[in-house]
Structures are given as C-alpha cells and as structure tokens.
C-alpha cells in the first residue's frame, strides 16, 4: 500500500481477491465476458444494466438485493459485479434452481430419476467408459433407498458431498 492510499482501498482489494478465489477459472471467464459486453470503455457498467447482466447468468436482482443495494446509483466495476454475483450464488433459491437444472441434464426422460442408462450417457460424454457394475456402484454410493435410481434429494446429497462444491444443503 502506498503512503497516500486509504486503508479502505486495501480492504476492498482483499475482498476482491477473496471473491475471485471463490470462483473457478471458467466461472471467472464467463462473468468477465458478461460484464465486458455491458461495460463502457472505462471498464464500468451502468447500474441500470445490472438486471440484464444477472438475467444473462440465470439470476435475478431479487436474489442479490443485499449486494446490489450497496452500489445504489453508482456505475459498477468488475470487482463489484463479481461480488454481486457471488452473493446471488449464496442465495438458496439460486442454488436450488441450479441443482434442479443440473439434475434435469441427467434425467433426460424427465421421470424424476437418474437411472443407470442416463448416468452412463453422461459418463460416455465425459469419455469415461464404465462397466455396468461400475455404474451401479456409482449410483449405490448415494442411493439412499437402494433402488438404483437417484431422486433429486439423493442427487443433492451427492453434489453437496463433492469437495469444493458451492452447493451445501442442510438436512432437516
């Protein structure tokens, strides 16, 4: 910190670093691209464009009221935008919506279950060739009722158990 630099700027910088550490590289790239599409040549986004930026990311201003309220009528910097988005991501409705959407990617037939063929399709797309036994073992690990079909609650449990997962759901 230089001699004339206010203390609050250092704190702001540390907060920005913490926010960036919470995001994966791919997430950061996507967020920066979204911001840059709406930012002016000075690297700031008009506060009126925030709802559009959030909508492009599948979020709403309601989910980020706390963070968004702090900018009021100011233009938004990339660091402030990242803070607003990470605050949105902590919102329970956003996390649940993301989980439901990701579950639907597995549950192609829409019957409310992830079954071995659906799991196999996903692993194949990831170039992971698993045997039938390995697929069933994958399902059994989180299949609470033992029917070799994963319902959304079991899926939440599986995703929440992944190290570094942003999705943490408390059990009742």
């Amino acid at each position: 910190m230089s001699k004339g630099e206010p203390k609050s700027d250092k704190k702001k910088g540390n907060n920005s670093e913490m926010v960036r550490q919470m995001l994966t590289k791919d997430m950061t790239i996507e967020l920066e691209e979204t911001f840059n599409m709406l930012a002016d040549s000075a690297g700031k986004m008009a506060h009126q464009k925030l709802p559009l930026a959030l909508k492009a990311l599948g979020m709403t201003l309601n989910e980020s009221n706390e963070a968004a309220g702090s900018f009021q009528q100011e233009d938004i910097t990339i660091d402030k935008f990242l803070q607003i988005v990470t605050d949105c991501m902590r919102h329970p409705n956003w996390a649940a919506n993301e989980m439901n959407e990701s579950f639907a990617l597995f549950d192609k037939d829409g019957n409310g279950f992830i079954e071995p063929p659906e799991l196999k399709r996903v692993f194949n797309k990831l170039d992971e060739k698993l045997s039938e036994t390995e697929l069933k073992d994958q399902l059994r690990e989180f299949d609470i009722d033992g029917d070799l079909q994963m319902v959304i609650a079991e899926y939440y449990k599986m995703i929440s158990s992944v190290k570094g997962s942003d999705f943490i759901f408390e059990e009742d």
Side-chain angles (χ1 to χ4, degrees):
M1 175 164 70
S2 65
K3 232 179 187 181
E5 188 178 337
K7 236 182 180 180
S8 62
D9 286 347
K10 183 177 182 194
K11 184 179 179 188
K12 191 184 240 183
N14 287 341
N15 188 34
S16 173
E17 290 170 29
M18 286 181 2
V19 167
R20 287 181 182 271
Q21 289 175 355
M22 292 171 51
L23 301 169
T24 66
K25 183 179 178 181
D26 289 340
M27 291 168 75
T28 302
I29 290 169
E30 180 180 359
L31 295 174
E32 287 174 347
E33 286 174 354
T34 301
F35 178 84
N36 290 333
M37 286 190 310
L38 299 169
D40 59 23
S41 60
K44 292 189 176 188
M45 180 175 64
H47 69 276
Q48 297 93 333
K49 293 183 179 178
L50 180 61
L52 178 61
L54 293 174
K55 186 173 184 174
L57 297 167
M59 300 175 183
T60 65
L61 193 54
N62 291 343
E63 294 168 345
S64 65
N65 280 345
E66 187 176 317
S70 63
F71 76 86
Q72 301 192 5
Q73 299 298 318
E74 302 169 15
D75 287 343
I76 300 169
T77 64
I78 183 64
D79 290 332
K80 184 62 180 174
F81 181 68
L82 294 176
Q83 179 64 50
I84 291 168
V85 170
T86 55
D87 286 349
C88 281
M89 292 168 67
R90 290 186 191 112
H91 191 276
N93 288 341
W94 180 84
N97 290 341
E98 287 295 305
M99 293 292 284
N100 290 338
E101 287 179 22
S102 66
F103 181 84
L105 293 175
F106 284 87
D107 181 22
K108 277 300 191 192
D109 62 9
N111 67 354
F113 301 100
I114 298 172
E115 299 163 310
E118 293 167 320
L119 191 60
K120 182 177 185 172
R121 181 187 51 80
V122 172
F123 277 111
N124 285 342
K125 284 189 178 208
L126 296 171
D127 286 330
E128 296 279 336
K129 307 298 181 205
L130 300 181
S131 70
E132 291 300 315
T133 303
E134 290 170 319
L135 282 168
K136 289 178 182 178
D137 288 345
Q138 289 287 323
L139 278 172
R140 277 190 193 103
E141 187 172 344
F142 297 99
D143 183 16
I144 296 167
D145 57 10
D147 63 358
L148 287 180
Q149 296 179 332
M150 191 178 300
V151 295
I152 199 156
E154 295 165 331
Y155 179 75
Y156 282 1
K157 180 182 174 189
M158 177 187 73
I159 297 298
S160 297
S161 72
V162 175
K163 185 175 181 171
S165 172
D166 291 332
F167 300 108
I168 306 296
F169 292 88
E170 296 178 12
E171 294 182 24
D172 292 329

